[in-house]
Amino acid sequence: VNRYLSLDTEQTGNFMTFFYCELTAQAKEVHWVRAGHEPALVYDPALDTFDELKGEGMALGLDGAFEYASFERCLEPGQIILIGTDGIWEMRAESGDMFGKQRLKAQIREHRHASSRELIDAITGALNDFRGQTAPEDDVTMVVIKAAAQG
């Protein structure tokens, strides 16, 4: 994908960030590749801790020869993964303040028992309340994945 996109963008300087992940149900693992995109957040409600799915990887379309690495880790039952665009934490209120990752983490923590859909709705509602009448400056896109409990 990067090689072909680079052919299209070499004269314009355009690029695209990308985050790709695969979940392996049997092995309870998550595998991912980052291409310039913000790391996904991982919340572990059993430990009440946050981590990120980090890793090296430049944006797509900048260097057609760049080789991306994949990363992996175990995913424990009940853990929550949120993959999102920076329009979430960079959302501005009328005062100019940004929503920030701490508010995002507070929403995940508060709604940790909700379904993925309900968590997305809670975050979207909190963002709308936070920004008030201010128009969004960027897109807000998110995916929430909840690891099923063993059973």
Side-chain angles (χ1 to χ4, degrees), residues 21-32 72-75 145 147:
C21 78
E22 288 182 357
L23 301 169
T24 307
Q26 298 302 323
K28 306 288 192 252
E29 293 177 341
V30 59
H31 300 257
W32 71 94
E72 65 183 65
R73 68 173 272 176
C74 290
L75 191 59
I145 302 162

Side-chain angles (χ1 to χ4, degrees), residues 113-125:
H113 298 297
S115 69
S116 295
R117 174 78 259 166
E118 291 166 337
L119 182 52
I120 289 172
D121 290 344
I123 294 168
T124 302

Side-chain angles (χ1 to χ4, degrees), residues 6-141:
S6 293
L7 293 172
D8 287 342
T9 61
E10 66 186 354
Q11 300 300 316
T12 66
N14 291 334
F15 63 90
M16 174 176 57
T17 66
F18 185 74
F19 187 93
Y20 173 82
C21 78
E22 288 182 357
L23 301 169
T24 307
Q26 298 302 323
K28 306 288 192 252
E29 293 177 341
V30 59
H31 300 257
W32 71 94
V33 176
R34 281 190 57 228
H37 199 279
E38 285 283 329
L41 282 175
V42 179
Y43 177 63
D44 186 338
L47 300 174
D48 193 29
T49 58
F50 283 90
D51 196 6
E52 294 182 334
L53 300 183
K54 298 179 181 180
E56 298 293 320
M58 72 170 59
L60 298 173
L62 295 176
D63 179 356
F66 186 82
E67 293 191 27
Y68 294 86
S70 65
F71 304 91
E72 65 183 65
R73 68 173 272 176
C74 290
L75 191 59
E76 299 298 326
Q79 289 184 332
I80 300 168
I81 299 175
L82 184 137
I83 305 165
T85 57
D86 59 5
I88 300 168
W89 44 90
E90 293 179 1
M91 178 75 67
R92 291 195 181 270
E94 293 170 345
S95 66
D97 292 339
M98 285 191 188
F99 190 76
K101 287 192 177 179
Q102 292 309 314
R103 284 186 180 94
L104 175 59
K105 289 177 180 180
Q107 287 296 311
I108 295 169
R109 182 177 282 121
E110 180 180 344
H111 300 283
R112 65 187 173 275
H113 298 297
S115 69
S116 295
R117 174 78 259 166
E118 291 166 337
L119 182 52
I120 289 172
D121 290 344
I123 294 168
T124 302
L127 286 167
N128 289 335
D129 291 345
F130 179 79
R131 72 178 174 84
Q133 297 301 311
T134 305
E137 297 173 1
D138 202 352
D139 70 293
V140 171
T141 305

